[in-house]
Amino acid sequence: MPLLHHLDQGQGAPLVILHGLFGTLDNWQTLARRWATEAGLRVVSVDLRNHGRSFHSPEHSYSLMVEDVLALFNHLQLGSDLTLLGHSMGGKVAMRLALDYPEQLARLIVIDVAPRFSDMHHQDSILAGLHAVNLATISNRQEADAALAPHVPTLGTRQFLLKNLYRREDNSFAWRINLDVLAAQLPAIGEAIESPVPFVKPALFIRGGKSDYISTEDKLYGIPSLFPNSEVATVPDAGHWVHAEQPEVVFQLVQAFTQQ
């Protein structure tokens, strides 16, 4: 399997960042640069399979994504003083890796996702919008945005999704995401993360106060049962994209946690 596309910057203890569904490492670049320059970390931002500039595959599961990330760890020789950070789908990849391969990392950061099952119906409108963009006929990004808008009314969400749109050499448009596979594998992305053995190293869960991805029940029972040495930090004025809405708060939380 090819190596995941990644960006490696800075020197120091490694921090590896895994984006969420339909995301890319570019979503994290402002914070990644700051953690590399201001927090003294070696920051490795990753494009997961079927996303960004990484390879496309007909298979998309948490066990396979964990294998992809482990191969990158080994290739970069990151060592064991490693912090793994994941948002949403990337957070579930990070949890799965921490539970299955605890020796590979020193600490875990999960942003706005719980280990429980999700039926993923909240993605239906986004998929409908992405499929409404006719790549064969659009001539600019504005037309793509107009096709998305009836399904995805929030401008910020549309801008996030349209970062996946690019022009090929023949001037036609294409998606960087493997849209058909991600749509087909959506139930697998909603799977619960379970384990008979908990991850006992430090774990930080950062949740948006306006998001329902981490519930009170998750905070009291679901997360501590798998991650007994964890804390949940709530960022009050933020939704699911906590790092985009409150970057300074997330910067400080991660910087302090990696220095423990």
Side-chain angles (χ1 to χ4, degrees):
M1 196 61 74
L3 206 61
L4 294 171
H5 175 254
H6 60 281
L7 181 63
D8 188 352
Q9 55 190 326
Q11 295 180 325
L15 169 68
V16 176
I17 301 173
L18 309 179
H19 61 77
L21 180 63
F22 307 132
T24 76
L25 65 79
D26 295 341
N27 306 143
W28 283 89
Q29 270 324 91
T30 303
L31 278 169
R33 199 175 301 113
R34 286 191 65 194
W35 284 319
T37 56
E38 297 174 40
L41 297 169
R42 178 184 179 184
V43 184
V44 180
S45 315
V46 179
D47 279 338
L48 293 166
R49 65 166 55 205
N50 293 316
H51 288 78
R53 290 172 172 79
S54 281
F55 60 89
H56 285 191
S57 166
E59 298 178 295
H60 195 87
S61 69
Y62 286 116
S63 58
L64 288 171
M65 286 187 277
V66 164
E67 289 178 22
D68 297 339
V69 174
L70 286 174
L72 185 63
F73 284 4
N74 294 333
H75 174 78
L76 296 174
Q77 299 183 310
L78 295 178
S80 57
D81 185 23
L82 185 155
T83 303
L84 181 59
L85 179 157
H87 171 245
S88 203
M89 179 189 74
K92 282 193 163 181
V93 177
M95 286 188 267
R96 180 79 275 154
L97 192 152
L99 289 162
D100 291 351
Y101 301 94
E103 72 285 352
Q104 292 282 341
L105 58 155
R107 58 194 76 75
L108 171 70
I109 301 173
V110 176
I111 298 190
D112 212 60
V113 72
R116 67 177 149 85
F117 166 81
S118 167
D119 62 20
M120 301 301 286
H121 286 321
H122 57 284
Q123 300 290 348
D124 289 351
S125 59
I126 285 178
L127 284 172
L130 291 169
H131 281 121
V133 178
N134 188 333
L135 297 173
T137 61
I138 60 167
S139 55
N140 55 51
R141 302 181 79 83
Q142 288 73 24
E143 291 175 10
D145 185 64
L148 264 177
H151 305 275
V152 185
T154 306
L155 175 61
T157 306
R158 295 201 306 276
Q159 290 172 333
F160 162 77
L161 294 168
L162 289 171
K163 286 188 176 180
N164 290 295
L165 193 66
Y166 76 104
R167 276 192 195 271
R168 293 190 286 215
E169 286 185 14
D170 65 2
N171 229 26
S172 65
F173 280 98
W175 294 117
R176 291 206 185 278
I177 47 172
N178 191 347
L179 181 56
D180 291 342
V181 164
L182 293 176
Q185 297 297 331
L186 212 54
I189 297 168
E191 283 178 4
I193 302 299
E194 300 169 322
S195 174
V197 181
F199 177 76
V200 297
K201 292 177 181 178
L204 171 65
F205 285 72
I206 300 174
R207 67 187 280 265
K210 294 196 251 177
S211 169
D212 60 3
Y213 277 68
I214 295 180
S215 66
T216 301
E217 191 171 329
D218 295 324
K219 189 175 173 180
L220 294 176
Y221 306 109
I223 291 169
S225 65
L226 285 171
F227 305 95
N229 189 15
S230 65
E231 57 181 305
V232 179
T234 300
V235 181
D237 197 23
H240 182 53
W241 283 279
V242 193
H243 52 292
E245 296 172 47
Q246 295 290 341
E248 186 59 38
V249 177
V250 172
F251 173 81
Q252 298 290 350
L253 284 169
V254 170
Q255 181 182 35
F257 185 70
T258 57
Q259 292 172 349
Q260 288 183 8

